[in-house]
Amino acid sequence: MKERIIAFMNEKRFKEVRSEILQLNSVNVADILEELDTNEAVILFRMLPKDMAVEVFSYLSNEQQRNIIDSITDKEIKHIMDELFFDDMIDFIEEMPANIVKKILKNTKEEERVLINQFLNYPENSAGSLMTIEYVDLRKDMTVRQAIDHIKETGIEKETIYTCYVTDANRKLEGIVSLRKLVITPDEKNIEEIMNKNVVYVHTHDDQEVVAHLFKKYDLIAIPVLDKEERLTGIITIDDIVDVIEQENTEDFQKMAGMEPSEIEYLDANFLTLAKNRITWLLILMISATFTGRIIQKFEDVLQSVVVLAAFIPMLMDTGGNAGAQSSTLIIRGLALGEIKTKDFFRVIVKELIVSTVVGIALAGINFVRIYYIEKIDLKISITVTGTLFLTVVLAKVVGGVLPIVARKCKLDPAIMASPLITTIVDAVALVVYFSFASWILGI
Amino acid sequence: MKERIIAFMNEKRFKEVRSEILQLNSVNVADILEELDTNEAVILFRMLPKDMAVEVFSYLSNEQQRNIIDSITDKEIKHIMDELFFDDMIDFIEEMPANIVKKILKNTKEEERVLINQFLNYPENSAGSLMTIEYVDLRKDMTVRQAIDHIKETGIEKETIYTCYVTDANRKLEGIVSLRKLVITPDEKNIEEIMNKNVVYVHTHDDQEVVAHLFKKYDLIAIPVLDKEERLTGIITIDDIVDVIEQENTEDFQKMAGMEPSEIEYLDANFLTLAKNRITWLLILMISATFTGRIIQKFEDVLQSVVVLAAFIPMLMDTGGNAGAQSSTLIIRGLALGEIKTKDFFRVIVKELIVSTVVGIALAGINFVRIYYIEKIDLKISITVTGTLFLTVVLAKVVGGVLPIVARKCKLDPAIMASPLITTIVDAVALVVYFSFASWILGI
C-alpha cells in the first residue's frame, strides 16, 4: 500500500494518490510523508483534508514538520496551530529553530502566546511539560443532560472527553465524572450527585516518573494537573504516558550501561553527541580499573613465582562482574517498579547471601573438577582459585544487591549502581582476595 | 490514612473503618488489605459494598486473593466471579492452585466454563491471553440514538465503552465507532455512516509485544482481537498494555544481565528459582572465560619476562567490556523500540567506527600521559598498553553494535548480545592483541 502510493506520487498520478490516502490511518500517512522528499511531501500534505492534515502533522518527525512549515503559507500554518492539541503544539515549538518559532508565534493570538510561553517554562520532564489544556470542564450544578449537551458542543476540540472535570468559579477542582457515568445516568440527575470527589491528581512541577507511576497504579486514562494554588491547569492523557514509560526505561538502560541518558534516537544522533555521552563513564571506570592494576603490581612477587595464577584472572573477574550485574539489575529494576523499597534492605541482603551461596557452591564445584581433575593443576592452586571464585560470587551478589538500595537512600539514581561500576568494585576486591589467599596457601 | 484504618481495625472500631474506607479508591483499599492478616482482611473485605469488593479483589495480590477465596462462602465467590472482568478472572484462575480453581468452576455456569477453558488455552503472552470479552457490540443499521440506548443498558458491565465495535451477524468486524463520535453526532444518523472501517486489529495468537507496538504507534486505548476466521473474539485495553510494556522491559533488563527472564517479583521469588535463573549464564560465561585464561597461559613466557604487563590486564578488560556494553545496549534498545532495523546494519558499523575512534583516541591519549609521564613506565610498554586500549575500544564498540543486529537477523533475541557476552568476547580478543603486540614490540 505504502509502496503503491509512493509510486503514484513519483508518476504524479495525484488523483489515485488522494483516493488511496483517504483510506489510510493518519499514522500511516505520516509514515509515507517521511519517505518522500520535501517537495513531494508538501504536495501530498496539501492534498489532505484539513482535519486529517493536522493529525498527520502531529505524527511527523521534527525534521519533516520543519520542512513543511517552511513551505506552506501563513494561513495554512495558522490553521494547523489552531487545530493541534496544545501539548502537541508545545512539543513541536520546543523542537523548532528560532526562525520557525517566530513564524508560528506571528500567527497566534496574544493570549495564546502568553500561554505558550508559560508552558515552555515548565521544567523538562515535569507534569506541566506533558499536559494539555483541552479538557472538558463541567460545573457541579449542571444536570447530566446539560453536561452531555456541553460535551456535544465543545467535545470535538478536546483531547479526551472520557473523563470530565468539575471545577468551581475559581478553577478549583471539585471532582471528576466519566463519560461512561454520564451516559448511563438519567438525564435529570445533578453532576454533584454522581461526581467522584476522591480524585488522583498531580501538580505541574511533579516529575513525569511520578505521573507514570500513578497511571500504572490506578489504571488511569487521564490525570488532572493542578498549579500551586490547587487550580486545574491541564490534564495528561495515557498516550503521552506510554511514551514517558518507554523514555524512562531507555534512560535506565543507558545509565545502567554507563552512559549519559539521551532522548535522541541512535540513528539521529551525531557522532560527537554519542562520543560525549559515553566517554565520561569510560574514563572514570578506566581510571578506577588502574587501581585494580595496582593490586596486581603489589603482588608482583607472588605472580612472578607462580605465573599460572594470571591465567585465572579473567575468569575470576568476569564471573564476579556477571554475578554482581545480575543482582544489581534485579534490584534496580525492582526499585524502579516500586516492588522493592529501601526498607527491604535486610531482606535483600539475606536473599542475596542465600542465593549467592547456592550459586557460588555450584560454580566453584564445577570449576574445581575442571581445573584439578581435568586440567591437572596443582591442588593448592586449585583450592586458591576455587575458594576465591566462591567468595567473589558471594561478595559480588551482596554488593550488587546492596549498592542500588544505598544509592536510593542517598537520593541518587540506583541505575548508576549497575554492571560497569559493580564490576570495577568487584574486580578489585576479587584480586585482593585471590592474591592474599594464594600467598597464604602457597606460603609465598 | 492507611495507618489510621489499620489502627481502627486492630481496635475493632469497625464503624469508623467502614466510613473511612468508603472515601477511598479501590486501589488504596487493596493496599490496606495487603497489610492485614487473613482474618482481618476477610472481615474488612466483607464490609465493602458489593461493587467495590469486586474491584478491590481485582487489585489484590494472588496470595491475598487465595486467602479470601478460601474464607468466603460459595455465594460470595459466585458474585465476585460474575462481576470480575473476564480478563481479570482468567488472570486470577491461572495463578490459583487446583483446589481453588475447582471451587471457582463449581460456581460458574456451563457455558462460561467452556469459555474459561478456551481462554486458559491461549499461549502465554499472546493477544488471546490478554483480552477480555466485555466490549460494546453494535450493528451498522442502528441509529446513533439506538446505539447510545444500547450502551446505556449494557455499558455498566463493559470494560470500556469508549470504543464500540460494529459486527455483522457472523461476528465479523465491520468497523469501530468511538463514544466521542456517538456523543457529538445527531441522533438519527446511521452507525454505518459514521463508523471507521479502517480498523487496526490483532489476532488471538499474535505476541503481546506486537500488540504493545501497535498501541504505541497508533495511540490506541483499545484494540479488537480476531480469531482465525476473522471474527471478533475480544478486546485488549490500554491498562493491560501498560503492564505488558513494563513486563517486556523487565525481561530485557534480565536477559541483558545474563539471566533467564522471570515474571515473579524479586521479593516473592524463592531462592532456588533465583539461583536457577542466574546459574546457566554464569556457567556458560565462566567456561568461556577460561579460554581467555588459556590465552594468558599461551603467552606465559612473555608475562614471565615482563610481569608488569599483568598490571594492565584489568584496565584493558574492563574498559573493553564497558565500551562494548554501551554500544550493544543502545543497539538492543533501538531494535526493541523499532528505531533501528536490520537494514541499518552498515549505518551502525560506520557510526560505531567513527564514535569508537573518537572515544578510543581520547582514552588512549589520557592513558598514555598517565602511564608514561606520571607513572614513568617504560616507553615500549606504554605504547603497547595504549595501542591495545585503542584497538580494544574500537573492536568492542563495533562488535557490540553488530552482534545484536546479527542476532535479530538470525531470529534470536538481540537482548542476549549484551554486556556479559560481549565482555567475554572482547576480553579474549583484547588479550590476544595485547600479548601479540607486546611480544612484537618488546621483541620477546
Side-chain angles (χ1 to χ4, degrees):
Chain A
M1 170 71 100
K2 197 163 151 180
E3 285 67 34
R4 196 163 67 220
I5 293 174
I6 293 175
F8 282 155
M9 275 306 289
N10 292 335
E11 296 163 21
K12 305 203 186 306
R13 289 164 64 182
F14 297 132
K15 228 172 104 184
E16 282 93 339
V17 172
R18 195 179 146 90
S19 82
E20 294 270 357
I21 282 284
L22 292 179
Q23 307 300 318
L24 287 183
N25 188 302
S26 302
V27 178
N28 301 115
V29 178
D31 279 350
I32 292 172
L33 278 176
E34 292 293 339
E35 309 238 334
L36 298 174
D37 62 35
T38 306
N39 280 339
E40 286 182 327
V42 172
I43 294 173
L44 182 55
F45 186 76
R46 284 194 156 140
M47 270 184 226
L48 302 173
K50 281 192 164 186
D51 293 358
M52 196 180 194
V54 176
E55 244 189 88
V56 168
F57 185 83
S58 74
Y59 285 113
L60 287 176
S61 68
N62 291 325
E63 200 190 329
Q64 203 63 300
Q65 284 181 334
R66 195 162 50 224
N67 291 337
I68 285 178
I69 289 288
D70 259 344
S71 322
I72 62 179
T73 66
D74 280 9
K75 205 179 140 208
E76 285 170 310
I77 294 176
K78 188 170 173 352
H79 174 75
I80 293 176
M81 292 304 129
D82 284 351
E83 297 298 318
L84 266 184
F85 284 127
F86 200 78
D87 56 340
D88 291 332
M89 177 162 71
I90 296 294
D91 287 347
F92 161 67
I93 291 177
E94 273 176 339
E95 299 300 332
M96 290 300 117
N99 64 322
I100 300 234
V101 174
K102 220 184 260 169
K103 199 168 168 185
I104 294 162
L105 289 182
K106 202 178 72 188
N107 292 299
T108 52
K109 279 174 296 215
E110 171 64 24
E111 58 183 306
E112 199 166 57
R113 268 207 296 279
V114 173
L115 210 52
I116 289 172
N117 275 318
Q118 181 196 330
F119 270 64
L120 288 174
N121 279 324
Y122 288 118
E124 204 186 350
N125 299 339
S126 68
S129 74
L130 287 174
M131 71 186 179
T132 191
I133 51 173
E134 290 97 349
Y135 54 84
V136 177
D137 207 2
L138 303 176
R139 288 291 149 84
K140 65 182 172 191
D141 54 7
M142 283 177 166
T143 62
V144 167
R145 181 76 256 159
Q146 286 171 324
I148 291 181
D149 286 342
H150 178 69
I151 295 170
K152 278 193 192 206
E153 278 163 38
T154 62
I156 193 144
E157 296 153 8
K158 305 303 183 189
E159 174 125 12
T160 184
I161 62 170
Y162 299 143
T163 312
C164 304
Y165 300 87
V166 187
T167 55
D168 69 9
N170 297 316
R171 276 184 29 228
K172 286 248 181 356
L173 182 62
E174 301 190 297
I176 57 172
V177 57
S178 66
L179 182 58
R180 174 199 291 246
K181 191 82 173 226
L182 288 174
V183 166
I184 60 178
T185 304
D187 282 355
E188 61 287 355
K189 274 226 178 175
N190 253 321
I191 295 298
E192 191 171 8
E193 298 170 63
I194 61 167
M195 73 184 184
N196 183 351
K197 286 178 208 147
N198 185 9
V199 185
V200 179
Y201 59 84
V202 290
H203 287 102
T204 45
H205 283 67
D206 286 343
D207 189 79
Q208 60 180 11
E209 227 175 320
V210 175
V211 185
H213 181 73
L214 291 173
F215 268 86
K216 285 186 270 182
K217 176 160 184 178
Y218 295 99
D219 287 347
L220 304 173
I221 55 171
I223 200 169
V225 185
L226 311 186
D227 64 12
K228 279 177 196 142
E229 284 80 39
E230 306 291 320
R231 288 172 310 203
L232 181 62
T233 46
I235 61 166
I236 300 172
T237 48
I238 181 76
D239 51 321
D240 294 315
I241 290 303
V242 169
D243 297 338
V244 166
I245 291 174
E246 287 295 28
Q247 186 194 326
E248 294 284 335
N249 279 311
T250 299
E251 268 186 29
D252 275 355
F253 277 109
Q254 290 169 338
K255 283 186 201 154
M256 288 169 72
M259 283 174 280
E260 307 281 324
S262 159
E263 283 180 33
I264 308 171
E265 288 185 19
Y266 176 82
L267 292 174
D268 296 338
N270 69 50
F271 69 94
L272 272 181
T273 313
L274 286 173
K276 194 177 67 62
N277 291 338
R278 299 178 187 188
I279 209 159
T280 320
W281 269 103
L282 282 182
L283 202 57
I284 295 173
L285 294 167
M286 183 181 84
I287 292 178
S288 316
T290 61
F291 293 103
T292 316
R294 287 272 166 80
I295 294 165
I296 296 187
Q297 267 179 300
K298 202 170 152 262
F299 288 97
E300 210 165 286
D301 41 343
V302 181
L303 198 56
Q304 185 93 51
S305 45
V306 195
V307 170
V308 71
L309 286 177
F312 298 103
I313 292 180
M315 188 269 286
L316 291 171
M317 282 176 55
D318 279 353
T319 307
N322 291 334
Q326 289 181 333
S327 306
S328 69
T329 300
L330 284 183
I331 304 305
I332 293 169
R333 186 66 183 155
L335 288 166
L337 294 179
E339 295 168 358
I340 298 175
K341 306 265 191 307
T342 51
K343 70 172 161 57
D344 297 316
F345 188 76
F346 290 104
R347 285 180 70 189
V348 170
I349 291 187
V350 171
K351 208 145 200 170
E352 286 305 312
L353 271 176
I354 299 174
V355 174
S356 61
T357 305
V358 174
V359 172
I361 288 175
L363 293 181
I366 292 169
N367 190 61
F368 186 79
V369 170
R370 198 182 61 77
I371 63 177
Y372 181 66
Y373 290 103
I374 302 178
E375 297 204 13
K376 312 281 185 204
I377 301 279
D378 172 72
L379 179 63
K380 283 184 176 174
I381 295 179
S382 299
I383 292 175
T384 305
V385 173
T386 306
T388 306
L389 180 64
F390 174 76
L391 285 178
T392 303
V393 169
V394 172
L395 181 104
K397 290 213 163 286
V398 173
V399 169
V402 161
L403 284 192
I405 302 185
V406 172
R408 168 63 59 90
K409 274 249 191 220
C410 302
K411 313 258 178 230
L412 291 171
D413 188 334
I416 60 169
M417 297 298 181
S419 172
L421 197 64
I422 301 284
T423 302
T424 307
I425 297 171
V426 169
D427 283 353
V429 185
L431 287 180
V432 171
V433 172
Y434 186 44
F435 286 113
S436 312
F437 215 173
S439 57
W440 176 61
I441 283 202
L442 300 171
I444 306 163
Chain B
M1 170 70 100
K2 195 163 151 182
E3 285 67 34
R4 197 163 66 222
I5 293 175
I6 293 174
F8 282 155
M9 276 306 290
N10 292 334
E11 296 163 24
K12 304 205 185 304
R13 290 163 65 182
F14 298 132
K15 227 172 104 183
E16 283 92 337
V17 172
R18 194 179 146 89
S19 82
E20 293 270 355
I21 281 284
L22 292 180
Q23 306 300 316
L24 287 182
N25 187 302
S26 303
V27 178
N28 301 113
V29 178
D31 280 349
I32 292 172
L33 279 176
E34 293 293 337
E35 309 238 333
L36 299 173
D37 62 37
T38 306
N39 280 339
E40 287 183 326
V42 173
I43 295 173
L44 183 55
F45 186 76
R46 285 192 154 141
M47 271 185 227
L48 301 175
K50 280 194 167 184
D51 292 358
M52 196 179 193
V54 176
E55 243 188 89
V56 168
F57 185 83
S58 74
Y59 285 112
L60 288 176
S61 67
N62 291 326
E63 200 190 330
Q64 204 62 299
Q65 283 181 334
R66 194 161 49 222
N67 291 337
I68 286 179
I69 289 288
D70 259 343
S71 321
I72 62 179
T73 65
D74 280 9
K75 203 178 142 210
E76 286 170 310
I77 294 177
K78 188 171 173 351
H79 174 74
I80 293 176
M81 293 303 128
D82 284 350
E83 295 298 317
L84 266 185
F85 284 127
F86 200 79
D87 55 342
D88 291 332
M89 176 164 70
I90 296 293
D91 288 347
F92 162 68
I93 291 177
E94 273 176 339
E95 299 299 332
M96 290 298 117
N99 64 322
I100 300 232
V101 174
K102 219 184 258 171
K103 200 168 167 186
I104 293 162
L105 289 182
K106 201 178 71 188
N107 291 298
T108 51
K109 282 173 296 220
E110 170 66 23
E111 58 183 309
E112 197 165 57
R113 267 207 297 279
V114 173
L115 209 51
I116 289 173
N117 276 319
Q118 181 194 334
F119 270 64
L120 287 175
N121 279 326
Y122 287 118
E124 206 186 350
N125 299 338
S126 67
S129 75
L130 288 172
M131 70 187 179
T132 191
I133 50 172
E134 290 97 349
Y135 53 84
V136 177
D137 208 1
L138 303 176
R139 289 289 149 85
K140 64 182 174 191
D141 54 6
M142 283 178 165
T143 63
V144 168
R145 181 76 258 158
Q146 287 171 324
I148 291 181
D149 286 342
H150 178 71
I151 295 170
K152 277 192 191 204
E153 279 163 37
T154 62
I156 193 141
E157 297 154 7
K158 304 304 182 187
E159 174 126 12
T160 184
I161 62 168
Y162 298 143
T163 311
C164 305
Y165 300 87
V166 186
T167 54
D168 69 10
N170 298 316
R171 274 181 33 227
K172 286 250 182 349
L173 182 62
E174 300 190 297
I176 58 172
V177 56
S178 67
L179 183 58
R180 175 198 291 247
K181 191 84 173 223
L182 288 174
V183 166
I184 61 178
T185 303
D187 282 355
E188 61 286 356
K189 275 224 178 176
N190 253 323
I191 295 297
E192 191 171 8
E193 296 170 65
I194 62 166
M195 74 183 184
N196 184 350
K197 285 177 209 148
N198 185 10
V199 186
V200 180
Y201 59 85
V202 289
H203 286 104
T204 46
H205 283 67
D206 285 343
D207 189 79
Q208 60 180 10
E209 230 177 318
V210 175
V211 184
H213 180 74
L214 291 173
F215 268 86
K216 287 187 269 183
K217 176 159 186 180
Y218 294 99
D219 287 349
L220 304 173
I221 56 173
I223 201 168
V225 185
L226 311 188
D227 64 12
K228 280 178 198 143
E229 284 81 39
E230 307 291 318
R231 289 172 309 201
L232 181 62
T233 44
I235 61 167
I236 300 172
T237 50
I238 181 77
D239 52 320
D240 295 314
I241 289 302
V242 168
D243 298 338
V244 166
I245 291 174
E246 287 295 27
Q247 185 195 324
E248 294 284 336
N249 279 310
T250 299
E251 268 186 28
D252 275 355
F253 276 109
Q254 291 170 336
K255 283 188 201 154
M256 287 170 71
M259 282 174 281
E260 307 280 324
S262 158
E263 282 179 36
I264 308 170
E265 287 186 20
Y266 176 81
L267 292 174
D268 297 338
N270 69 49
F271 70 93
L272 271 181
T273 313
L274 286 174
K276 194 178 66 62
N277 291 338
R278 298 180 188 187
I279 210 159
T280 321
W281 269 104
L282 282 183
L283 202 58
I284 294 173
L285 294 167
M286 184 180 84
I287 292 178
S288 317
T290 61
F291 293 103
T292 316
R294 289 270 167 81
I295 295 166
I296 296 188
Q297 266 178 300
K298 200 171 153 258
F299 289 97
E300 211 166 285
D301 43 343
V302 181
L303 198 56
Q304 184 93 49
S305 46
V306 195
V307 168
V308 71
L309 285 177
F312 298 102
I313 292 179
M315 188 270 288
L316 291 172
M317 279 176 56
D318 280 353
T319 308
N322 291 333
Q326 289 181 334
S327 306
S328 69
T329 300
L330 284 184
I331 305 303
I332 292 169
R333 187 65 183 154
L335 287 166
L337 294 179
E339 295 169 358
I340 298 175
K341 307 265 192 304
T342 50
K343 71 172 161 59
D344 297 316
F345 188 76
F346 290 103
R347 286 180 68 188
V348 170
I349 291 187
V350 171
K351 210 144 197 168
E352 287 304 313
L353 271 175
I354 299 175
V355 174
S356 62
T357 305
V358 174
V359 171
I361 288 175
L363 292 180
I366 292 169
N367 191 62
F368 187 79
V369 170
R370 199 183 60 76
I371 63 177
Y372 182 67
Y373 290 103
I374 303 178
E375 298 203 12
K376 311 282 186 204
I377 301 279
D378 172 72
L379 179 64
K380 282 185 175 172
I381 295 180
S382 299
I383 291 175
T384 304
V385 173
T386 307
T388 306
L389 180 64
F390 174 77
L391 285 177
T392 303
V393 169
V394 173
L395 181 103
K397 288 212 163 289
V398 173
V399 169
V402 161
L403 284 192
I405 303 185
V406 173
R408 168 63 57 90
K409 273 250 190 216
C410 303
K411 314 257 178 230
L412 293 170
D413 188 336
I416 60 169
M417 296 299 180
S419 174
L421 197 64
I422 301 282
T423 301
T424 307
I425 296 171
V426 170
D427 283 355
V429 185
L431 287 180
V432 172
V433 172
Y434 186 44
F435 286 113
S436 312
F437 214 173
S439 57
W440 176 62
I441 283 202
L442 300 170
I444 306 161

